[in-house]
Amino acid sequence: MLRLRKLEPSDLPFLYQWENDARAWADSDTHNPLSQHDLRNYIDFSTGDIYRDGQLRLIIEDDGETLGCIDLFDFDPRNRKAAIGMYIAEQARGKGVGQNAVQLLEKYAFHHLNLRLLYAIIATNNLPCTAIYRNMNYIPAATLPHWTLESDAVLWLKAAP
């Protein structure tokens, strides 16, 4: 059964691999590789409390198998909104993991954190992610021309039920 959980020190090898996947950098607005030391510090000093850290990274797992991570970031507690970011491991892509993870994150964000708005900025050439947000009833609120060097992007929004 798919679940989201807090980061553990044993997640370091996965984070190191995923954060240094240069193919994903344009989508994550990353510009340089991260060291194991950087990531270990991130894990060690992350409290798992979005109000303290300003962001929240959760590991996506199914029956003990680590399948990716999903983030709430750009957290705005006053306006009760946050952005979603996600990385799905190659072996788990195309199997519904991303959509299920977003669904679990929505429940947590809307019902536990009491957020009123979630959003994602997705490159127009990222068709799998576009399908996830479209299928989950996010609204394409704006097109962002020239958002990255590689493509335009779309701002997808979903209000709390």
Side-chain angles (χ1 to χ4, degrees):
M1 179 174 180
L2 197 74
R3 73 181 187 115
L4 305 179
R5 64 165 174 79
K6 185 178 172 183
L7 285 170
E8 297 287 347
S10 60
D11 295 319
L12 180 61
F14 299 109
L15 291 180
Y16 184 71
Q17 177 185 352
W18 300 336
E19 291 288 352
N20 291 301
D21 181 355
R23 297 168 297 173
W25 286 0
D27 290 327
S28 65
D29 209 18
T30 300
H31 309 287
N32 54 286
L34 294 175
S35 70
Q36 287 191 16
H37 175 77
D38 294 335
L39 293 167
R40 188 175 303 108
N41 282 340
Y42 175 74
I43 292 169
D44 288 346
F45 293 107
S46 175
T47 67
D49 181 343
I50 195 168
Y51 289 94
R52 291 180 94 181
D53 298 340
Q55 64 182 15
L56 176 65
R57 171 163 285 182
L58 298 169
I59 294 297
I60 305 164
E61 78 174 15
D62 189 7
D63 292 327
E65 182 183 3
T66 302
L67 303 176
C69 58
I70 191 163
D71 304 332
L72 287 174
F73 67 98
D74 199 19
F75 175 57
D76 180 346
R78 181 183 181 278
N79 294 300
R80 298 182 9 233
K81 63 183 178 178
I84 299 174
M86 179 170 47
Y87 184 91
I88 303 299
E90 268 189 69
Q91 75 274 12
R93 294 178 188 165
K95 298 178 180 176
V97 171
Q99 186 163 321
N100 288 335
V102 170
Q103 192 171 38
L104 290 171
L105 188 68
E106 278 181 12
K107 287 179 185 174
Y108 179 74
F110 290 144
H111 301 292
H112 183 74
L113 296 175
N114 201 29
L115 297 185
R116 63 178 195 85
L117 183 71
L118 292 175
Y119 67 93
I121 298 174
I122 307 298
T124 55
N125 63 0
N126 189 338
L127 300 179
C129 272
T130 296
I132 288 170
Y133 290 100
R134 181 174 284 120
N135 291 342
M136 303 238 3
N137 299 317
Y138 281 68
I139 298 166
T143 299
L144 307 170
H146 314 293
W147 193 250
T148 67
L149 288 173
E150 294 78 13
S151 74
D152 297 345
V154 174
L155 171 64
W156 293 88
L157 301 175
K158 188 169 190 180

